[in-house]
């Protein structure tokens, strides 16, 4: 109510100022001379003093009320509430009875029939009063016990919440109303009102009050042992403080904004106490704690939506001193300092992300509590809430705040020294939070051009008292927009009109946005690195490494998507700059390479983890082994396709080992369950043979040695064990029989890989000539293996599967079986047929190593 | 200080030049009215019948400015300070430096008795000892009005306007005044509101900017430093207006050159032609301003224009004479 009144007064004051304001330029010379007089500063001081006096009195009053409440303690506070309820209850009953009496006596209206109360019903008021009083006594005793035991070592603010919160006062007031109305009804006959006049309404009141008091007491009044319950009060205070930010009256009143900021600060401090208290009590239900954190983070999202309504220098933001350097100061400042023999005055820089940081601290503390209690669900819920808040902040263009929030949570996530299921969730949290930030930021920047147009058209740049430019953006854009407004207002002061045209306003804001995007692009690889690798990841368990790596890859993929959006957004923003040339943006062109360089270390981390992990038996835990292996297979195939020999060398041996572990697990787990032959059982090994065959194929296509590490890995695995090699060929045979029976889950993936290599063959000009009307003769240097694949230009598909090629070329010689036996194996039979057909067809003049050479080399 | 005295010692007793900002204005004007370049020079002369070297030597108004650019710069600067410039062209003094003619600036010119001109030398109180004629009074020197050339300010920037600008600039309180008020406010009023230097500096910067508004001068540091009060567009817009002011004064100096060369050429028997390189006329600058206001001129181009770079895209050659 007080704020509403204040808003009204402020609006009236602004209207009056607007009426009084003269049009035209300011007489700056006169003002300047005035500023050099004693009277000017005295007048300013008097005005400021009046304002400060009012604010101080307001704070003094609120402090007095709070202090009184603390001093009278629970009993006094309860007594006050009780008396208030007592008076209110009595008053309501009295009003009803008197009205009824008056209507009946003077107007002859008897709205409700009189009731002849029989003794049980007549004794009800006295009974209700007695029961309520007993209940009150019981409640007081309970609260005293709670205070003495559970809250003896907490801060005064939290203790004040226990006996001074609104809910407690409501309990006591409702009991007071029940007692008051009951006693009043008991006293009615002695006051001259016979019972006969009393209608049922008064009784209804009494019943309602009593019932309300009992219900309130039953649901929650004795829940004071749970500190999380007390969080409702500060959360409500924080919400109210944030809710006031868009009040028009507050935008121009720094004193009230400062007061609101202090309320929010106090609420956050109390919440921090409560979280701390919760962490010390293992018995407290963490569901309530998570709920509190979720609600708090929702408020931060709410805050992010209205933060741009404030100026960056608003009193809502607390200050910290920033001491200027003499070498960086301009002539005027240094001259003033030298002439007055004073140091350079520190600049009180606003902390614009204080609320986000404090909230992040709270969420982190709650997270740690959940992890230490190994409450995986609660930890996951908090991580999800933080990620969702970071996403919302980034979507509201507050990228820096989102980063700030994420950074605080990240530090805590990686500093918790626990080795349990909840810790795994938490350790992989930072990359997922970053992914959310990137997605939110992508959504934001796509609409930035429209945001600028809207801000320019809705801001009244001519008005000196306009507070803010309503544009959303990170701090640089926010600050630039407000500075632009101030600079444009200076033109009004100078000449009485605005000189700057709209196109420059668009230009300037677009420039600020592009600058922000450029800085983001510069820092993105570092950001990904910071959020992908924990400080002690080398010492972490394989599960932690795998979970973290998976999330890091996900963040990397999001970053690549963001990079695409950025190039489109920058183009749209550049269109706002009129005839000015676009700024060079080499960072964006280099970004894909820089992001690509980050992938290898993450894959190595996953590869290290996957050989130590084992397939998960229970579905209650995430399948980190499967996730890591599939990720590695996918990226190894990409590395083979791109010829990244280094990455193949580091990942393929681990993939091989893990695949064999998985095969064993699959056969032991599912082999017993299936009643008939299922080719899906061999999918892991078939995948492995497929990418091995692809490596050999790409090697022949590119004429390089990128498949060497693949061969070495197989040799190392099989060694001298001919049976192992035979088993692999048996799997190929079995898979060959199984294919007509239906597709396996991995069939489509393998088809996709084969299509890709086919397209590469066509691109290289090695398409098979007989199926192509455009290519009448084969390329003279087509490698034999590529010719054997018979890829058609019209329909890029291969007549041989890469796994067959690898089985015949590499695995076959290791079995020790004669070639005639190998030729009988159905899994690799087609290879030998193709070899016979193509090696005899024509002279081969290619420079690549032929299949026979490969075979010979492998045999040796 | 009287007007009479100020006419005699334009660079000395003109007290307004000693104010911080008017002094900077004078420096800026001097530097930019004809840009300093090595190659090509702002103005290049070609002559028939005489070496251009001798003509340039004759046009020397100051010992250290023996060039066409220097002559124009000097005339323009005198015009800014005195608001009108009288030049006397002399012939037959070939003794020194082999100059075919000589041009000199004449101060204290008055027209008397129906058009004849005299130069009134200063009175005793105005003169240094070495310039007195012995009886305590200044001398009157008869001038040949046929050899006199008078240049006045352009219509867009009349004398009253420039007087108002420089006086307002000179009257803006400077840092010395600020120092006087700081001590009482910082020491005698504990608990009270201190003198807010930021408020003062902003008002002072805006006051300087407002005072120089008619000629568009941006006062260098004020608008482009960290504490600048206006935006980039406004800065360049003001700079273009200042360039218009410079070009207008420069056009008057070009007129003086035209008259001097016509008079000297007729007497000495030579024909001179002058070409300006990358020097904008007031009309061109006005067109640039219109383009800039419409958003059709890039900031990089505006920067080249206001610095009048010879290599800039908008640079053109122009025949002055």
């Amino acid at each position: 109510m007080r704020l509403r009144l204040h808003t009204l007064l402020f609006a009236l004051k602004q209207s009056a100022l607007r009426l009084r304001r003269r049009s035209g330029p300011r007489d700056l010379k006169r003002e300047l001379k005035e500023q050099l007089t004693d009277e000017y500063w005295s007048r300013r001081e008097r005005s400021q003093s009046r304002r400060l006096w009012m604010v101080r009195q307001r704070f003094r009053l609120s402090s007095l009320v709070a202090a009184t409440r603390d001093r009278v303690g629970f009993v006094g506070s309860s007594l006050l509430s009780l008396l208030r309820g007592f008076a209110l209850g009595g008053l309501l009953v009295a009003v009803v009875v008197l009205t009824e009496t008056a209507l009946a006596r003077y107007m002859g209206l008897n709205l409700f029939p009189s009731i002849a109360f029989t003794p049980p019903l007549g004794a009800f008021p006295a009974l209700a009063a007695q029961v309520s009083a007993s209940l009150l006594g019981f409640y007081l005793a309970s609260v005293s016990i709670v205070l003495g035991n559970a809250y003896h070592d907490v801060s005064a603010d939290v203790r004040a919440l226990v006996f001074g919160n609104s809910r407690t006062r409501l309990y006591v007031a409702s009991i007071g109303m029940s007692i008051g109305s009951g006693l009043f009804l008991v006293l009615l006959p002695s006051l001259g009102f016979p019972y006969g006049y009393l209608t049922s309404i008064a009784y209804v009141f009494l019943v309602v009050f009593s019932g309300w008091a009992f219900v309130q007491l039953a649901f929650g009044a004795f829940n004071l042992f749970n500190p999380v319950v007390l969080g409702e009060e500060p959360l409500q205070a924080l919400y109210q403080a944030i809710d006031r930010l868009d009040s028009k009256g507050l935008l121009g009143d720094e004193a009230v904004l400062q007061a609101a900021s202090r309320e929010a600060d106090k609420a956050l401090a109390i919440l921090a106490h409560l979280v701390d208290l919760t962490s010390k009590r293992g018995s407290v239900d963490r569901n309530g704690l998570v709920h509190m954190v979720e609600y708090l983070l929702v408020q931060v999202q709410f805050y992010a939506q209205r933060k741009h309504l404030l100026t960056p220098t608003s009193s809502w933001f607390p200050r910290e001193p920033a001491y200027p350097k003499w070498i960086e100061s301009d002539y005027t400042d240094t001259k003033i300092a030298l002439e007055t023999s004073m140091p350079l005055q520190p600049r009180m820089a606003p902390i614009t992300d204080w609320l986000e940081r404090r909230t992040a601290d709270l969420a982190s503390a709650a997270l740690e509590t959940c992890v230490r209690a190994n409450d995986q669900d609660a930890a996951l819920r908090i991580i999800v809430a933080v990620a969702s808040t970071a996403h919302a902040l980034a979507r509201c263009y507050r990228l820096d705040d989102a980063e700030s929030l994420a950074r605080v949570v990240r530090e805590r996530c990686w500093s918790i020294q626990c080795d349990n299921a909840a810790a795994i969730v938490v350790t992989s949290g930072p990359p997922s939070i970053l992914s959310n930030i990137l997605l939110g930021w992508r959504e934001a920047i796509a609409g930035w051009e429209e945001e600028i147009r809207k801000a320019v058209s809705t801001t009244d740049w001519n008005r000196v008292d306009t507070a803010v430019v309503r544009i959303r953006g990170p701090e640089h854009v926010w600050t630039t927009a407000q500075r632009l407004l101030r600079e444009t207002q200076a033109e009004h002061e100078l000449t009485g009109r605005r000189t700057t045209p709209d196109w420059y306003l668009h230009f300037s804001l677009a420039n600020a946005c592009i600058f922000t995007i450029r800085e983001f692009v510069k820092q993105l690889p570092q950001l990904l690195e910071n959020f992908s690798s924990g400080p002690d990841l080398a010492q972490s368990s394989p599960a932690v490494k795998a979970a973290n790596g998976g999330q890091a890859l996900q963040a990397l993929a999001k970053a690549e998507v963001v990079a695409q959006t950025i190039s489109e957004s920058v183009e749209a923003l550049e269109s706002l700059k009129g005839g000015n040339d676009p700024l060079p943006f080499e960072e964006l062109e280099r970004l894909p390479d820089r992001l690509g360089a980050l992938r290898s270390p993450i894959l190595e981390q996953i590869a290290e983890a996957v050989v130590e992990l084992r397939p998960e038996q229970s579905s209650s835990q995430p399948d980190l082994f499967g996730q890591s292996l599939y990720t590695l297979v996918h990226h190894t195939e990409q590395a083979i396709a791109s010829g990244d020999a280094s990455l193949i060398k580091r990942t393929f041996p681990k993939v091989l080992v893990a695949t064999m572990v998985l095969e064993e697990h699959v056969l032991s787990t599912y082999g017993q369950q299936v009643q008939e032959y299922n080719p899906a059982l061999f999918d892991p090994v078939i995948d492995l043979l497929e990418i091995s065959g692809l490596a050999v194929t790409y090697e022949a296509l590119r004429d390089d040695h990128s498949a060497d590490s693949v061969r070495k890995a197989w040799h190392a695995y099989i060694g001298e064990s001919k049976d192992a090699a035979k088993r692999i060929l048996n799997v190929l045979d079995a898979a060959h029989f199984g294919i007509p029976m239906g597709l396996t889950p991995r069939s489509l993936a393998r088809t996709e890989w084969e299509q890709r290599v086919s397209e590469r063959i066509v691109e290289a000009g090695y398409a098979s000539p007989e199926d192509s009307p455009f290519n009448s003769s084969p390329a003279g240097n087509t490698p034999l293996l590529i010719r054997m694949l018979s890829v058609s230009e019209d329909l890029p598909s291969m007549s041989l599967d890469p796994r067959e090629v690898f089985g015949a070329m590499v695995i076959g010689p290791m079995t020790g079986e004669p070639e005639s036996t190998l030729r009988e194996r159905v899994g690799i039979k087609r290879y030998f047929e193709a070899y016979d057909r193509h090696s005899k067809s024509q002279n081969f003049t290619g420079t690549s190593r032929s299949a026979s050479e490969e075979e010979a080399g492998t045999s040796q | 200080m009287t007007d009479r005295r100020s006419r005699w010692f334009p660079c000395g007793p003109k007290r307004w030049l000693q104010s911080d900002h008017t002094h900077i204005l004078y420096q800026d004007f001097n530097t930019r009215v004809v840009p300093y370049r090595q190659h090509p020079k702002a103005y290049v002369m070609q002559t028939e019948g005489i070496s251009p070297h001798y003509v340039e030597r004759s046009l020397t108004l100051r010992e250290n400015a023996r060039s066409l650019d220097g002559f124009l710069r000097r005339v323009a600067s005198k015009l800014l300070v005195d608001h009108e410039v009288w030049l006397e062209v002399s012939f037959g003094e070939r003794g020194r430096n082999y100059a075919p003619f000589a041009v000199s600036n004449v101060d204290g010119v008055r027209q008397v008795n129906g058009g004849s001109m005299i130069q009134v030398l200063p009175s005793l109180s105005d003169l240094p000892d070495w310039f007195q004629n012995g009886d305590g009074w200044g001398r009157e020197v008869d001038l040949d009005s046929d050899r006199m050339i008078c240049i006045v300010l352009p219509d867009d920037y009349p004398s009253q306007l420039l007087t108002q600008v420089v006086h307002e600039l000179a009257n803006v309180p400077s840092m010395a005044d600020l120092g006087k008020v700081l001590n009482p406010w910082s020491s005698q009023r504990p608990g009270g509101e201190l003198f807010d230097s930021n408020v003062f500096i902003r008002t002072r910067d805006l006051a300087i900017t407002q005072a120089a508004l008619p000629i568009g001068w941006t006062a260098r540091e004020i608008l482009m430093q960290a504490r600048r009060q206006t935006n980039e567009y406004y800065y360049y817009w003001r700079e273009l207006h200042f360039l218009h002011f410079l070009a207008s004064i420069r056009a008057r100096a070009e007129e003086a050159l035209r008259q001097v060369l016509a008079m000297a050429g007729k007497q000495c028997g030579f024909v001179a032609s002058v070409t300006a390189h990358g020097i904008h006329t007031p009309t061109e600058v006005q067109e640039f301003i219109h383009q800039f206001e419409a958003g059709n001129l890039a900031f990089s181009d505006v920067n080249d224009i206001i610095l009048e770079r010879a290599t800039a895209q908008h640079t053109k050659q122009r025949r002055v004479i």
Side-chain angles (χ1 to χ4, degrees), chain A residues 29, chain B residues 1 16 22 162-172 211:
Chain A
K29 204 166 67 178
Chain B
M1 187 182 56
W16 58 263
T22 46
L162 286 193
T163 307
Q164 180 197 338
V165 168
V166 293
H167 278 268
E168 285 201 5
L169 275 177
N171 284 329
V172 173

Side-chain angles (χ1 to χ4, degrees), chain A residues 399-711:
Chain A
L399 179 69
D400 40 6
D401 292 343
E403 266 186 60
S404 180
L405 177 83
R407 211 176 297 125
V408 174
V409 175
R410 181 194 67 189
E411 296 305 323
R412 186 66 72 98
C413 282
W414 287 343
S415 65
I416 301 172
Q417 301 292 331
C418 276
D419 192 11
N420 53 31
I424 295 173
V425 170
V426 164
T427 311
S428 61
S432 74
I433 295 172
L434 181 64
S435 296
N436 278 273
I437 292 177
L438 294 174
L439 286 179
W441 180 239
R442 176 171 169 263
E443 287 177 39
I445 56 177
W448 225 346
E449 182 206 357
E450 186 56 34
E451 185 81 12
I452 291 174
R453 290 187 192 279
K454 196 173 158 191
V456 170
S457 61
T458 53
T459 304
D460 189 351
W461 300 86
N462 294 321
R463 277 178 51 181
V464 177
D465 58 352
T466 304
V468 287
V469 183
R470 297 194 170 197
I471 183 169
R472 293 179 295 171
E475 189 152 352
H476 176 71
V477 176
W478 191 31
T479 315
T480 303
Q482 307 320 324
R483 198 180 64 228
L484 184 65
L485 177 65
R486 190 169 55 85
E487 291 170 349
T488 312
Q489 286 169 352
E491 293 168 23
H492 199 276
E493 293 178 67
L494 288 171
T495 61
R497 67 184 180 86
R498 172 161 71 98
T499 306
T500 303
D502 281 352
W503 70 259
Y504 175 75
L505 302 173
H506 286 118
F507 169 90
S508 182
L509 294 175
N511 250 355
C513 295
I514 292 172
F515 177 81
T516 305
I517 291 176
R518 183 197 297 262
E519 290 301 304
F520 169 74
V521 167
K522 273 187 199 169
Q523 293 166 8
L524 182 57
Q526 186 63 45
L527 197 65
L528 284 164
E529 208 168 338
N530 290 346
F531 276 84
S532 300
S533 55
D536 293 327
L537 212 53
Q539 310 297 326
S540 303
S541 65
V544 169
K545 282 183 194 173
N548 185 277
Q551 292 292 344
L553 273 182
Q554 192 187 357
L556 194 59
K558 303 290 186 297
E560 285 167 347
V561 174
V562 172
Q564 288 172 4
T565 310
I566 282 177
S567 56
E568 293 163 14
S569 303
V570 167
E571 199 175 329
L573 289 170
E574 288 286 358
S575 69
L576 291 175
K577 290 172 59 182
N580 288 278
D581 296 331
L583 296 170
F585 207 163
E586 295 91 2
E587 293 88 355
L588 189 57
E589 291 164 11
R590 289 201 304 267
L591 186 61
D593 293 338
R594 295 178 68 194
L595 292 181
L598 294 174
R599 185 169 287 111
S600 298
I602 300 172
L603 289 173
E604 279 179 46
Q605 175 188 326
I606 296 174
E608 279 175 24
V610 77
V611 292
E612 298 178 42
L613 286 168
R614 288 294 171 268
E616 188 61 51
Q617 298 283 353
S618 163
S619 59
S620 64
Q621 298 295 325
D623 181 13
L624 292 173
F625 173 82
Q627 178 189 334
S628 304
L629 178 58
Y630 274 53
T631 304
L632 282 176
V633 168
H634 175 72
H635 286 280
T636 305
E637 190 275 331
Q638 286 187 346
I640 286 168
S642 63
D644 188 349
S646 165
L647 187 60
I648 299 169
K649 187 179 176 184
R650 281 175 287 177
T651 56
F652 186 81
K654 310 286 173 56
V655 171
L656 195 153
V657 172
T659 302
M660 295 308 168
V661 171
L662 180 63
E663 189 212 11
E664 192 179 331
H665 170 75
V666 167
L667 291 176
S668 63
T669 309
Y670 303 102
Q672 313 291 334
Q673 297 171 6
V674 290
Q675 299 298 321
E676 55 186 17
Y677 171 71
N678 188 345
L681 293 175
F682 302 114
D683 257 354
V685 178
I686 295 296
D687 272 357
L688 187 68
L689 289 167
E690 184 81 6
I691 60 171
S692 306
L694 285 171
V696 172
T697 310
Y698 277 112
E699 184 187 59
L701 183 63
R702 285 191 298 258
D703 190 20
D704 59 11
H705 300 278
S706 56
D708 284 353
S709 53
V710 174
R711 289 190 203 90

Side-chain angles (χ1 to χ4, degrees), chain A residues 24-39:
Chain A
R26 280 171 56 191
D27 190 351
L28 291 162
K29 204 166 67 178
R30 184 181 59 79
E31 287 182 25
L32 196 60
K33 285 180 179 168
E34 273 184 9
Q35 286 182 22
L36 291 174
T37 61
D38 191 80
E39 190 196 351

Side-chain angles (χ1 to χ4, degrees), chain A residues 198-312:
Chain A
L198 189 64
T199 65
S200 55
I201 289 181
Y203 266 89
V204 169
F205 271 123
L206 178 58
V207 170
V208 168
F209 294 153
S210 308
W212 174 249
F214 297 148
V215 168
Q216 285 292 315
L217 283 170
F219 294 99
F222 297 102
N223 201 17
L224 294 173
F225 283 105
N226 186 356
V228 176
V229 175
L230 302 175
E232 285 182 18
E233 191 86 0
L235 280 173
Q236 190 64 23
L238 183 65
Y239 173 78
Q240 284 173 357
I242 294 171
D243 191 36
R244 289 169 192 167
L245 293 182
D246 66 343
S247 163
K248 197 172 178 182
L250 289 185
L251 289 176
D253 194 330
E254 294 297 313
V256 181
L257 269 179
Q258 195 177 28
S261 167
R262 285 179 183 170
E263 281 176 29
D265 180 58
K266 187 181 173 187
L268 286 169
I270 293 173
L271 286 172
H273 279 306
L274 293 178
V275 171
D276 186 42
L277 208 56
T278 311
S279 67
K280 290 176 186 167
R281 296 181 185 175
S283 60
V284 173
D285 176 24
R286 281 171 300 278
N287 190 41
L289 178 68
V290 174
H291 184 68
M292 187 179 87
V293 172
E294 284 173 341
Y295 185 51
L296 181 65
L297 289 168
V298 166
Q299 290 198 21
V300 173
Q301 297 177 27
F302 180 53
Y303 170 64
Q305 289 169 5
R306 27 189 80 207
K307 195 173 177 182
H308 69 288
L309 303 174
L310 299 167
T311 59

